[in-house]
Amino acid sequence: MTTVPLTAPPGDDTADPAEAVSSDPAGSSPATPVGIVELSERVVGSVLTRCPWLPRASEIFLGLCTLVCLVAIGTRLSPLPLIPIPLFGAAYLFLHRLRTAQTRVHQLRWSLLSALSAMIGFWLISVVARWVS
């Protein structure tokens, strides 16, 4: 079994400087590194392409959550369940803008804003439930 050194021995200048130039075909370019933002844009874009019904289903779900908050006013006899309704309304608006977004940047922006406002609304529901009980 023979061993092959990974580097040339010192003083061995047999490498041709012309070989150091890229040997790629003229039409290809090296792959650009993908950052977290580009990756997130691709993921959101692919999910929205594969599941075009997802924003509409999320709008319906937020509407049902708002209806539950309105029913909770009558059952709890307290105005505290009204607290998350503006956040659900904002999430609904962001989802509507998401459906009309054309670029991946806008899709990422509106989906993040929608998810954030909906999560804060759900968190407020749990906080209100602890206050009332």
Side-chain angles (χ1 to χ4, degrees):
M1 186 158 121
T2 62
T3 58
V4 178
L6 296 177
T7 59
D12 185 19
D13 295 331
T14 59
D16 186 16
E19 291 179 5
V21 178
S22 175
S23 62
D24 289 340
S28 76
S29 62
T32 59
V34 177
I36 188 74
V37 174
E38 291 87 6
L39 183 62
S40 301
E41 290 172 1
R42 287 183 186 180
V43 168
V44 168
S46 68
V47 167
L48 291 175
T49 303
R50 290 181 185 170
C51 306
W53 50 267
L54 191 62
R56 184 69 178 155
S58 300
E59 288 175 354
I60 292 170
F61 180 70
L62 284 171
L64 289 174
C65 289
T66 303
L67 183 67
V68 167
C69 288
L70 293 173
V71 170
I73 295 169
T75 58
R76 294 281 189 172
L77 298 175
S78 171
L80 288 177
L82 287 175
I83 293 173
I85 289 180
L87 289 166
F88 290 154
Y92 183 86
L93 174 70
F94 295 148
L95 281 171
H96 180 69
R97 297 225 177 165
L98 173 63
R99 287 196 305 165
T100 60
Q102 298 297 322
T103 63
R104 285 184 173 174
V105 175
H106 289 114
Q107 289 175 345
L108 177 65
R109 179 182 304 149
W110 294 123
S111 61
L112 284 176
L113 286 172
S114 175
L116 184 65
S117 62
M119 284 189 290
I120 292 172
F122 290 130
W123 176 76
L124 281 175
I125 286 175
S126 68
V127 169
V128 167
R130 272 187 264 147
W131 287 346
V132 173
S133 63

